[in-house]
Amino acid sequence: MQPRRRAERESAQPTWCLVLCWLRSFFSAVGVSEARSPGVCRSPLRDGEKRESVRRHGMSARGPPGSVVRGLLAVAILLIVGKEPVGAANKAAGSGFRTFTPFYFLTEPADVVTLRGAPAVLNCSVHAEPTPKIEWKKDGTFLNLVSDDRRSLLPDGSLFITSVVHSKHNKPDEGIYQCVATVDSLGSIVSRTARLSVAGLPRFASQPEASSVYVGDSLALSCDVSAELVPFVQWEQNRLVRELDNRVAILFNGSLVISNASESDAGLYRCAVGSGAALKYSDEAELKVLSDPGEDRPLVFLRQPSPLTRVVGQTALLTCVVSGYPTPVVYWSHNQEELILENSDRFALLAGGSLQISNVTEEDAGIYTCTADNGNQTIQAHTELSLQVPPVFLVKPSNTHAYESMDIVFTCEVSGKPTPTIKWVKNGDMVIPSDYFKIVGDHNLQVLGLVRSDEGFYQCIAENEVGNVQSAAQLIILEHAATPGGPRPSSPRDVVASLVSTRFIKLTWRVPADAYGENLTYHVYYSREGMNRERVENASHPGEMQVTIQNLLPETVYYFRVVAQNQYGPGESSSPLKVETQPEVQVPGPAPNLRATAVSPTSVDVSWETPLSGNGEIQNYKLYYMERGAGDEQDIDVGGHSYTVSGLKKYTEYTFRIVAYNKHGPGVSTQDILVRTLSDAPSAPPQNLTLEVRSSQSILVQWQPPPPGTQNGQIVGYKVRYRKTTRKSETSEILVETQLSQLVAGLERDTEYSFRVAAMTVNGSGPATEWMSAETFENDLDESRVPDVPSSLHVRPLVTSIVVSWTPPENMHQVVVRGYSIGYGLGSPHAQTVRVDHKQRYYTIENLDPSSHYVISLKAFNNVGEGIPLYESAVTRQHTVPEPSPMLPPVGVQASILSSDTVRLTWADNSLPKNQKITDARYYTARWKTNIPANTKYKFANSTTLSYLVTGLKPNTLYEFSVMVTKGRRSSTWSMTAHGTTLESVPSSPPKDVTVVSKEGKPRTIIVNWQPPSEANGKITGYIIYYSTDVQAELHDWVIEPVVGNRLTHQIQELTLDTPYYFKIQARNSKGMGPMSEAVLFRTPKASGKGVRTSDSGSNTGSSLGGNNSHHGSPTSLDQNMLLTIIVSLGVITVLVAVVIAAICSRRSSSHNKKKRAACKSANGSHKYKGNSKDVKPPDLWIHHERLELKPVDKSPETNPILTDTPIPRSPQDITPGDSTTEGSIHQHSNSYRGLESEDSVSSLVGRRAMRPKIMMPFDSQPPQPVVSAHPIHSLDNSHHFRSVPGFMLHVLGGPPQAAESVRHAPSCDTVVAASSSSQTGPEEPDPPGGSFLPGSMDEDSVASVPTAHIRPSHPLKSFAVPAVPAPAPSTGYEPVLPSSPLLAQQAPTALSVKTASLGTLGRVRPPLQVTVPNAPEPLETSRMLDGSESSYEPDELSKEMAHLEGLMKDLNAITTA
């Protein structure tokens, strides 16, 4: 609307034009010709047409007659003004402003039905100046009427056909006609279309037959013809045309109905079809009129009403012809409301019973019921009247003025039934939607970038099945009027496209060099390359120097120019700017040949083809479908070109469309196609089955169709089955057409019958209703009068109800009683009315007010009317509200832990039956809160069952739960509480407060400190420290350090000086790894002075026996080099001496052991073993749920345990944080250690990661070797340390060679001395009582050794690490080689720091290692476990060992229970 307002503003007339308009009135006053008055004063507004009409009819304002003074004054003004007004007038006239010209149809053609050979006229007349040219189109093609002998143009423009030609193979006149009016200087308009139909050759589907009728009765004579021939049907009696009146009528199919027959109606009747001399006659049939014998005849329908569809404004005739005696009274009801036909202008009763409705409206649609009643019998027939509405304009397009390059919209809104379709026509030609002619808002026409050729008449044509209408509007393109005055702006400067997209471009510019004014208004004109149509876009407000052009085409070249306008008019245009929009991602086009075929009542086959413009490989299709009229569209992904949609509703219309997808996304959707599923037998029985006893031998059965959604097709009839209620009675069946009632006659007196009804479609019959019974009368009672008053009436008031009982009238055996009418109300019985069956003798009136006075009336009724009422009054009782007694609270409340945030509550209710089945409206309320004394806030939830699933709980939190029950206004107290602790979950927050500091005096050692996560969600079992010199490195390239869960600090040694390191920490619990903390940056100190530990590239970085490092690679004096040489030499000699001594001791120990084994073997001769002494394996402990297994472990003569084939994860990527479900993966739940450094590796972090040799661990599959056996630690504070690790963690503690291993052996005659990691043995320490650690503590610099233990990595509850008792070592002042990182080390009551040493020779500095252990073998039989072992047990040693194992089992049971 903004461009239109701007056009009107710009076309406003200047002041001089208003002066000329004022002068015009004076010219008119003095008789100056209108032609000499310049036509520049016509308003450009929408009322210009009205002003032109006023001018044309001579209604212009005139002055008083004979006003010579005014004329002279006008001449004087012209002389003063001089020639300027004339020039101005000519200039204004040159502006080309024109008013709208009236051009419209006075009469338009209408549908015509004619006969072959008959004349036909199609009307058409037009109002226009000058006189328009009238032409006619037939089926879209212009007719050549010049050389046509049969068709000619009447003076008013109507088309006249002298004789309609129509044959089986030649139908030149039948078709669609349209009148076209053209004015050369204006344009063309077209009328609505009209169909000329030629009725076919008359054929009689049925002909009249000889009949007889009693005087006063009704009859129908058949003459069924096609619908288009009915208007040409006439009847003759005795070869004379029978006139129609209120007694005689012709039905919609051509049949003749005569009601209230008399003797004058007798004669020969025949039906004639046609007009004039071309009449075709049916056979003649004789009608005899008989005198009435006075005997009762049952009522029957001669013609029942059938469904009818009419157009609004037409006349509808609903047929209802009834015969019987006494003569029935026929009345009609519409939607169960009786129609009042007296004094009605539109409703009339024809031929005694048929209903004629004139000028039908939409309100007349609905269900109509024809009821015939003669006092003895009542019959009914139902039908439906459907109405269609031709298109009607709600908003018509209006005449429009516009300027070139503007955008305009013609609005058009219509209504109709069915919904009309709209098309647009310009000057008689169809408007085809394009880039510049678009249909917007479903109905409106938008024209973009107007050009001069767009002028003309635009018509909106709306059409549906029952008609079409048109409305025209004129478009006039104006020229900008020249405005005299000052200078205009120059062209805007620096026009650029600041933003170019696929479908829009943003233009910016600068103020013109010569603005000649402030707050200039800018207009942007743009056109597509190769198109002469230019559009305009205006800046949103004065002074704005940017515009965004929307709705462009991708990858298209456009030309832009900008024009500035000041108060004097538009200035110069800028140079055209050529801009190409960006290419758009190519998506597929619509899939062609979309077809949908119903294959069953619930399924549809849909098929399509590959889009012609696929723009790449089609990945898949999406099929959209929905029920017609519904708003929820469903979609299915399809890979091929067809799909069968199932699960649809029966006999229901659905719409389908397809969208193709490629790698760029969804393509263009196809048009919707409509298909209806196949019909099926009804899935529900008819509704509202009622029985009405009419006499001693007849019962009227009435019903309603099944619900619309269950009919599954068109109902074609009903099956009425009936039988006697007695046993073994035969069932009779009656087939009924579409009527909704059936009178069943020929029944026995005083007999009870049962009835049921089923609906039928073409597919079969559906389910039947339940049997309903009624009993025929013993005698045919009188129903010519109303029943007497009931013999008695009794009332019994309650608080909110009154029980009414009665006895029937005394003459109930003489007069028919069809039911009773009960009226009641406060002080009056007419407020409410209830009707009950004639068999009923009591009724309860509900929903009354307490303590209120009610009056009750009772009347018996039949078809004649209601009898005399009987009255009674009653006062309802006072309302007393008893205090509800409390209910018993639920019992047996149990909280079953399901997950870390879910608990299932269950309980029992003692107030329920034994089966605990809830049959009333009770409900339960559960409440819960954390078991913290300070927390008093509960959460509540309701449940109608005996359980409730509580969700959204916090992991590893103790909750308390209780339940109460409520029934109506009664409630119980809260039950006893149940407690439950939710399961652990993966930590949801990282460790916090991570800090890194350098250790004093040790610049290559740093200390990492942290605090546990805020949301640990369980007991923290360990931490993993990640560090790297590159914060952007992949996670698997970071070095990791595992730390036990009870520690919040850790040392990391052997770092490179003056190097930035980044540290992250990750916490874990029994469920897995949590998130990592943010990276913390720390730079190690620079090397300065003596005593700083450094390591040079290429030197062997290892710890000495005392743990001190020598200073390699630093510039030293000669004395220092000599001292270093001496120390190295002494170290080498010491190592050689130690090796020799160890070899000698080993041989002596082996000889001594052989002697002891021989002594034990002779003492216990019953044990025979095949193995020799070298096959003896010390027992290792495998612990499961139900059994203990002593697994022999082979000794290996090799002292270096690095040779076993146990791979080590090379990087942190082998550890998957957060995954606690895979039990078999050692990488997910075991500690990770840094790899071994080679002796010639550099000290940098790159050197640390570069060489990580494969670590080999001793296992059963390896050659026998000395093994250190460990005993379990009993002081376990939490069993989760065992459950959380499906594998095992091996801890070997390194220390000085003087520290001996603490070894515990199974009792045996053959004691095996365990070897330390350096192959040195030490004295065996005594075991502490009970197999637990002695209280004590060790600082970080203390040294302890823990032997290895073989663990079966199977179920989490069956595998754990068993460290040995550390031997108390003397304080040596030596510094440990590496910090401790045991994830699974358990704590004694007094905290014990356990250090981890690297595997290998003692002379090397090695980081902690992760060890992967293979699965243990299956459990062996006792004989196989002892095979190869020659050791035996003394009774006292065996008892001691068994007592120890029994204590161990108790601890394990406690762990498993937890």
Side-chain angles (χ1 to χ4, degrees):
M1 298 303 295
Q2 184 176 355
R4 183 177 298 174
R5 289 195 298 267
R6 185 164 58 253
E8 293 173 355
R9 183 174 65 251
E10 293 172 355
S11 62
Q13 305 300 314
T15 306
W16 58 266
C17 185
L18 298 178
V19 173
L20 289 180
C21 292
W22 180 69
L23 291 176
R24 176 182 175 183
S25 63
F26 293 104
F27 284 123
S28 300
V30 298
V32 178
S33 171
E34 180 72 24
R36 298 178 58 187
S37 177
V40 296
C41 301
R42 298 170 184 172
S43 172
L45 303 177
R46 296 299 177 90
D47 60 349
E49 181 179 341
K50 178 179 178 182
R51 298 178 184 220
E52 178 66 16
S53 178
V54 172
R55 181 193 64 77
R56 187 167 55 250
H57 292 285
M59 297 173 62
S60 302
R62 296 180 180 271
S67 181
V68 180
V69 178
R70 293 185 180 181
L72 294 176
L73 180 61
V75 173
I77 293 176
L78 286 175
L79 292 176
I80 295 173
V81 175
K83 295 184 179 181
E84 183 179 353
V86 177
N90 294 334
K91 190 175 182 179
S95 67
F97 182 83
R98 294 172 289 132
T99 58
F100 300 112
T101 303
F103 188 18
Y104 52 88
F105 285 97
L106 298 174
T107 307
E108 296 185 73
D111 294 344
V112 175
V113 179
T114 185
L115 296 176
R116 182 179 61 181
V121 176
L122 295 170
N123 296 316
C124 179
S125 60
V126 182
H127 172 79
E129 289 185 5
T131 303
K133 175 184 177 183
I134 304 296
E135 296 177 289
W136 281 87
K137 283 183 177 181
K138 177 183 178 294
D139 298 329
T141 304
F142 281 101
L143 293 175
N144 184 8
L145 302 179
V146 177
S147 59
D148 197 329
D149 297 335
R150 294 185 303 104
R151 292 176 288 204
S152 61
L153 207 63
L154 298 180
D156 63 346
S158 300
L159 178 64
F160 176 67
I161 303 176
T162 57
S163 177
V164 173
V165 176
H166 188 82
S167 63
K168 183 177 181 180
H169 302 290
N170 185 24
K171 303 175 181 178
D173 295 333
E174 194 173 48
I176 304 297
Y177 288 82
Q178 190 174 37
C179 179
V180 181
T182 305
V183 176
D184 293 336
S185 59
L186 297 177
S188 300
I189 58 175
V190 296
S191 70
R192 69 185 179 206
T193 58
R195 177 181 294 275
L196 174 64
S197 302
V198 180
L201 296 177
R203 285 188 175 87
F204 299 101
S206 62
Q207 301 205 29
E209 298 177 353
S211 305
S212 60
V213 62
Y214 292 104
V215 174
D217 208 349
S218 301
L219 86 157
L221 296 175
S222 298
C223 180
D224 293 344
V225 295
S226 56
E228 64 269 13
L229 290 174
V230 172
F232 305 99
V233 172
Q234 62 183 14
W235 280 85
E236 294 182 359
Q237 178 187 5
N238 298 326
R239 304 296 177 93
L240 298 176
V241 177
R242 177 63 193 254
E243 298 296 334
L244 305 180
D245 52 29
N246 290 337
R247 289 194 314 112
V248 183
I250 298 178
L251 304 182
F252 64 91
N253 61 352
S255 299
L256 181 68
V257 176
I258 301 175
S259 64
N260 193 16
S262 62
E263 294 180 355
S264 61
D265 294 327
L268 295 175
Y269 285 82
R270 66 177 181 177
C271 172
V273 179
S275 63
L279 291 176
K280 182 175 181 179
Y281 293 97
S282 68
D283 298 338
E284 281 190 328
E286 183 180 3
L287 175 61
K288 296 181 180 180
V289 179
L290 307 178
S291 58
D292 190 358
E295 296 179 356
D296 290 353
R297 295 189 304 275
L299 297 180
V300 292
F301 282 109
L302 300 180
R303 293 289 188 276
Q304 289 194 28
S306 58
L308 188 64
T309 300
R310 284 291 179 266
V311 179
V312 171
Q314 294 181 347
T315 298
L317 180 62
L318 303 178
T319 304
C320 185
V321 182
V322 185
S323 174
Y325 187 82
T327 302
V329 176
V330 178
Y331 56 91
W332 286 82
S333 60
H334 177 219
N335 293 335
Q336 299 182 354
E337 293 184 3
E338 185 174 348
L339 292 175
I340 301 175
L341 305 180
E342 297 179 359
N343 301 324
S344 176
D345 296 334
R346 297 194 307 114
F347 295 93
L349 208 59
L350 299 183
S354 299
L355 178 64
Q356 178 178 285
I357 308 174
S358 303
N359 191 21
V360 292
T361 63
E362 290 188 75
E363 290 76 16
D364 294 330
I367 302 297
Y368 285 83
T369 303
C370 173
T371 304
D373 186 5
N374 65 355
N376 295 336
Q377 187 180 357
T378 301
I379 58 176
Q380 287 183 337
H382 307 273
T383 189
E384 182 178 5
L385 175 62
S386 302
L387 290 178
Q388 294 178 322
V389 183
V392 177
F393 281 107
L394 302 178
V395 176
K396 293 184 178 181
S398 55
N399 297 330
T400 303
H401 278 119
Y403 292 94
E404 284 190 83
S405 302
M406 287 178 56
D407 300 340
I408 63 168
V409 176
F410 289 108
T411 58
C412 180
E413 294 184 16
V414 295
S415 65
K417 185 178 180 182
T419 302
T421 59
I422 286 182
K423 61 182 180 181
W424 284 87
V425 172
K426 179 205 170 187
N427 290 333
D429 296 326
M430 183 77 66
V431 174
I432 300 175
S434 63
D435 295 338
Y436 296 97
F437 289 87
K438 297 183 178 181
I439 304 299
V440 295
D442 294 334
H443 300 148
N444 304 327
L445 176 65
Q446 183 182 37
V447 184
L448 305 177
L450 290 175
V451 295
R452 179 66 60 183
S453 61
D454 291 334
E455 272 195 345
F457 283 86
Y458 290 81
Q459 290 178 271
C460 175
I461 300 178
E463 182 179 9
N464 63 7
E465 297 176 5
V466 293
N468 61 91
V469 292
Q470 62 80 28
S471 180
Q474 186 179 8
L475 171 64
I476 295 179
I477 306 296
L478 300 175
E479 293 182 359
H480 291 282
T483 304
R488 301 184 184 184
S490 60
S491 61
R493 296 176 296 170
D494 301 336
V495 179
V496 295
S498 59
L499 181 61
V500 179
S501 181
T502 57
R503 293 186 180 273
F504 70 89
I505 291 178
K506 182 178 181 180
L507 293 179
T508 57
W509 57 87
R510 293 172 55 203
V511 180
D514 300 322
Y516 299 115
E518 298 180 355
N519 293 332
L520 301 180
T521 301
Y522 295 93
H523 311 283
V524 178
Y525 296 87
Y526 63 99
S527 61
R528 204 167 75 188
E529 187 178 41
M531 303 289 293
N532 60 354
R533 186 180 293 270
E534 191 175 50
R535 300 180 59 187
V536 62
E537 186 76 24
N538 301 312
S540 58
H541 54 80
E544 185 177 19
M545 288 179 289
Q546 64 177 13
V547 164
T548 300
I549 311 297
Q550 304 278 356
N551 300 323
L552 302 179
L553 296 178
E555 205 170 3
T556 305
V557 176
Y558 288 88
Y559 291 93
F560 300 88
R561 61 185 183 91
V562 184
V563 176
Q565 180 176 346
N566 60 8
Q567 66 270 27
Y568 303 110
E572 297 178 4
S573 171
S574 66
S575 300
L577 174 66
K578 181 179 178 180
V579 182
E580 183 177 4
T581 54
Q582 296 290 335
E584 192 173 40
V585 175
Q586 298 298 317
V587 296
N593 297 330
L594 176 61
R595 295 181 295 272
T597 306
V599 295
S600 75
T602 59
S603 59
V604 172
D605 276 348
V606 186
S607 62
W608 58 91
E609 296 178 2
T610 304
L612 301 178
S613 57
N615 297 321
E617 182 182 358
I618 301 298
Q619 296 180 343
N620 69 307
Y621 298 90
K622 185 158 287 190
L623 172 61
Y624 294 88
Y625 69 97
M626 70 173 179
E627 183 181 348
R628 185 179 184 184
D632 50 343
E633 190 174 40
Q634 303 182 50
D635 59 86
I636 302 172
D637 289 327
V638 184
H641 291 84
S642 63
Y643 189 81
T644 300
V645 183
S646 56
L648 305 178
K649 295 181 181 180
K650 299 177 180 179
Y651 200 66
T652 304
E653 289 185 331
Y654 285 87
T655 59
F656 295 87
R657 64 185 181 93
I658 280 289
V659 176
Y661 280 70
N662 63 6
K663 62 181 180 180
H664 301 297
V668 181
S669 172
T670 62
Q671 295 293 327
D672 290 348
I673 61 173
L674 184 67
V675 65
R676 183 191 292 273
T677 53
L678 300 181
S679 62
D680 198 3
S683 55
Q687 306 177 91
N688 303 331
L689 177 63
T690 59
L691 304 178
E692 181 180 341
V693 180
R694 289 301 182 91
S695 66
S696 61
Q697 295 181 335
S698 62
I699 296 178
L700 178 65
V701 185
Q702 301 180 78
W703 62 88
Q704 292 295 323
T710 62
Q711 294 181 11
N712 303 335
Q714 191 72 30
I715 300 297
V716 297
Y718 297 90
K719 287 183 180 179
V720 179
R721 294 186 178 95
Y722 65 95
R723 67 183 181 185
K724 295 180 182 179
T725 309
T726 57
R727 293 183 178 180
K728 298 183 180 180
S729 58
E730 295 183 358
T731 301
S732 301
E733 183 177 281
I734 302 176
L735 295 180
V736 182
E737 295 183 357
T738 56
Q739 67 263 26
L740 301 176
S741 64
Q742 176 65 31
L743 181 67
V744 181
L747 305 178
E748 298 180 6
R749 298 173 182 267
D750 195 19
T751 304
E752 186 176 15
Y753 285 88
S754 297
F755 294 83
R756 67 190 309 179
V757 181
M760 296 187 301
T761 63
V762 293
N763 303 91
S765 58
T769 61
E770 297 294 331
W771 288 101
M772 182 173 288
S773 300
E775 185 178 352
T776 56
F777 297 141
E778 184 178 357
N779 297 302
D780 287 334
L781 304 180
D782 181 18
E783 203 175 2
S784 61
R785 55 195 178 97
V786 297
D788 288 348
V789 63
S791 55
S792 66
L793 174 62
H794 304 279
V795 295
R796 182 165 63 91
L798 300 176
V799 178
T800 58
S801 61
I802 297 177
V803 179
V804 182
S805 59
W806 63 89
T807 56
E810 294 180 354
N811 65 343
M812 63 171 296
H813 297 292
Q814 300 174 0
V815 179
V816 175
V817 176
R818 299 199 175 273
Y820 296 91
S821 176
I822 304 171
Y824 63 93
L826 291 170
S828 172
H830 305 299
Q832 300 284 344
T833 302
V834 177
R835 285 195 168 193
V836 297
D837 188 70
H838 70 281
K839 292 184 179 180
Q840 198 160 335
R841 295 293 181 267
Y842 68 91
Y843 181 79
T844 301
I845 305 173
E846 303 284 354
N847 301 323
L848 303 180
D849 297 330
S851 304
S852 301
H853 181 268
Y854 285 89
V855 178
I856 297 100
S857 67
L858 178 69
K859 295 179 286 186
F861 68 89
N862 57 19
N863 290 333
V864 177
E866 295 179 344
I868 302 173
L870 187 62
Y871 296 97
E872 190 63 72
S873 62
V875 178
T876 53
R877 297 180 183 177
Q878 185 177 2
H879 182 61
T880 58
V881 181
E883 290 294 332
S885 59
M887 300 184 67
L888 294 176
V891 297
V893 180
Q894 294 183 354
S896 302
I897 310 300
L898 301 182
S899 66
S900 60
D901 64 347
T902 306
V903 172
R904 177 176 292 279
L905 282 183
T906 57
W907 58 87
D909 192 345
N910 284 339
S911 60
L912 292 175
K914 291 184 178 180
N915 59 3
Q916 294 287 290
K917 185 175 182 181
I918 302 174
T919 58
D920 49 20
R922 70 179 63 198
Y923 65 91
Y924 301 88
T925 302
R927 70 175 183 180
W928 64 91
K929 73 177 184 67
T930 56
N931 194 18
I932 301 175
N935 182 19
T936 59
K937 185 177 181 181
Y938 283 93
K939 291 186 176 181
F940 300 87
N942 293 335
S943 174
T944 57
T945 61
L946 295 176
S947 65
Y948 183 73
L949 195 67
V950 184
T951 58
L953 304 179
K954 295 181 179 179
N956 196 37
T957 305
L958 178 61
Y959 284 87
E960 65 175 34
F961 306 88
S962 56
V963 186
M964 67 179 294
V965 60
T966 302
K967 179 181 178 183
R969 293 181 291 109
R970 301 174 58 200
S971 298
S972 70
T973 57
W974 290 103
S975 67
M976 298 182 65
T977 58
H979 295 80
T981 301
T982 53
L983 301 180
E984 293 187 1
S985 179
V986 176
S988 54
S989 64
K992 58 183 181 179
D993 301 337
V994 181
T995 59
V996 183
V997 297
S998 177
K999 189 168 183 178
E1000 184 177 357
K1002 298 177 181 180
R1004 297 182 60 187
T1005 301
I1006 60 96
I1007 300 175
V1008 183
N1009 302 304
W1010 65 90
Q1011 291 298 320
S1014 302
E1015 299 176 0
N1017 298 338
K1019 181 175 180 60
I1020 298 299
T1021 59
Y1023 298 92
I1024 294 181
I1025 302 175
Y1026 297 76
Y1027 63 95
S1028 173
T1029 58
D1030 183 7
V1031 72
Q1032 302 295 335
E1034 297 292 337
L1035 184 61
H1036 59 77
D1037 291 333
W1038 289 55
V1039 182
I1040 59 176
E1041 290 279 351
V1043 182
V1044 73
N1046 64 331
R1047 299 191 59 184
L1048 299 176
T1049 183
H1050 187 71
Q1051 292 186 15
I1052 299 178
Q1053 302 177 359
E1054 300 300 327
L1055 300 181
T1056 304
L1057 296 178
D1058 193 19
T1059 302
Y1061 285 87
Y1062 296 91
F1063 296 85
K1064 297 180 181 180
I1065 302 183
Q1066 189 178 26
R1068 69 170 294 159
N1069 58 16
S1070 63
K1071 294 299 181 181
M1073 310 298 296
M1076 290 187 183
S1077 64
E1078 296 292 332
V1080 176
L1081 173 64
F1082 180 80
R1083 177 180 289 274
T1084 52
K1086 297 183 179 179
S1088 61
K1090 295 183 179 181
V1092 179
R1093 297 172 56 189
T1094 62
S1095 60
D1096 291 337
S1097 173
S1099 65
N1100 295 336
T1101 59
S1103 63
S1104 65
L1105 297 177
N1108 294 332
N1109 294 341
S1110 35
H1111 305 277
H1112 297 289
S1114 303
T1116 59
S1117 65
L1118 179 62
D1119 295 339
Q1120 291 174 337
N1121 292 334
M1122 293 178 62
L1123 180 61
L1124 177 61
T1125 305
I1126 295 172
I1127 292 174
V1128 172
S1129 302
L1130 290 177
V1132 172
I1133 295 172
T1134 304
V1135 171
L1136 294 176
V1137 172
V1139 171
V1140 173
I1141 294 173
I1144 296 173
C1145 292
S1146 175
R1147 292 182 180 179
R1148 291 181 179 179
S1149 177
S1150 175
S1151 174
H1152 180 66
N1153 290 341
K1154 290 180 180 179
K1155 294 178 182 180
K1156 292 184 67 176
R1157 291 193 198 98
C1160 291
K1161 184 174 182 182
S1162 62
N1164 191 2
S1166 60
H1167 297 280
K1168 306 285 185 180
Y1169 298 99
K1170 296 180 181 180
N1172 52 23
S1173 60
K1174 67 179 181 179
D1175 298 327
V1176 176
K1177 300 178 182 179
D1180 194 5
L1181 191 57
W1182 293 82
I1183 299 181
H1184 296 264
H1185 279 297
E1186 296 87 2
R1187 64 184 182 275
L1188 292 173
E1189 176 187 352
L1190 294 177
K1191 177 168 175 39
V1193 180
D1194 293 338
K1195 295 185 296 179
S1196 175
E1198 311 221 358
T1199 60
N1200 188 2
I1202 306 179
L1203 299 180
T1204 52
D1205 294 332
T1206 305
I1208 304 300
R1210 293 303 184 102
S1211 64
Q1213 68 184 354
D1214 297 332
I1215 300 177
T1216 304
D1219 186 1
S1220 61
T1221 60
T1222 307
E1223 298 179 355
S1225 176
I1226 187 66
H1227 303 295
Q1228 295 180 355
H1229 299 286
S1230 59
N1231 290 338
S1232 300
Y1233 299 89
R1234 287 176 295 146
L1236 291 164
E1237 294 179 357
S1238 64
E1239 295 188 8
D1240 56 350
S1241 63
V1242 297
S1243 62
S1244 65
L1245 182 62
V1246 178
R1248 285 174 171 269
R1249 292 200 305 269
M1251 299 182 64
R1252 294 184 180 180
K1254 186 175 183 181
I1255 304 303
M1256 317 297 284
M1257 292 300 300
F1259 291 107
D1260 294 345
S1261 62
Q1262 301 299 322
Q1265 59 182 348
V1267 176
V1268 179
S1269 177
H1271 79 281
I1273 302 172
H1274 292 274
S1275 57
L1276 302 176
D1277 59 346
N1278 196 330
S1279 63
H1280 294 303
H1281 292 284
F1282 295 113
R1283 286 204 304 266
S1284 64
V1285 182
F1288 80 102
M1289 188 62 64
L1290 183 66
H1291 306 290
V1292 180
L1293 303 179
Q1298 293 83 358
E1301 299 287 341
S1302 175
V1303 181
R1304 178 183 179 88
H1305 299 285
S1308 156
C1309 296
D1310 185 9
T1311 304
V1312 181
V1313 180
S1316 67
S1317 58
S1318 63
S1319 302
Q1320 296 179 356
T1321 59
E1324 181 176 348
E1325 295 298 328
D1327 296 334
S1332 61
F1333 284 120
L1334 290 174
S1337 62
M1338 301 176 64
D1339 57 17
E1340 290 188 359
D1341 294 335
S1342 63
V1343 180
S1345 297
V1346 178
T1348 63
H1350 289 276
I1351 301 301
R1352 182 191 302 270
S1354 58
H1355 192 278
L1357 293 179
K1358 299 179 183 180
S1359 304
F1360 57 92
V1362 188
V1365 180
S1371 177
T1372 62
Y1374 290 129
E1375 186 174 332
V1377 176
L1378 285 176
S1380 61
S1381 303
L1383 280 185
L1384 296 179
Q1386 306 303 314
Q1387 298 151 341
T1390 302
L1392 180 61
S1393 298
V1394 182
K1395 292 294 181 175
T1396 303
S1398 60
L1399 299 176
T1401 58
L1402 289 175
R1404 293 184 180 179
V1405 177
R1406 301 189 183 278
L1409 300 176
Q1410 178 187 7
V1411 180
T1412 303
V1413 181
N1415 291 336
E1418 295 299 323
L1420 303 176
E1421 299 295 336
T1422 305
S1423 61
R1424 293 190 61 185
M1425 288 194 301
L1426 298 178
D1427 187 20
S1429 175
E1430 299 179 359
S1431 61
S1432 61
Y1433 299 89
E1434 295 296 330
D1436 54 342
E1437 293 178 341
L1438 184 60
S1439 300
K1440 182 179 178 181
E1441 184 64 14
M1442 292 303 296
H1444 168 69
L1445 294 177
E1446 184 176 357
L1448 180 60
M1449 287 302 298
K1450 291 180 180 180
D1451 293 339
L1452 290 178
N1453 291 334
I1455 294 171
T1456 306
T1457 304

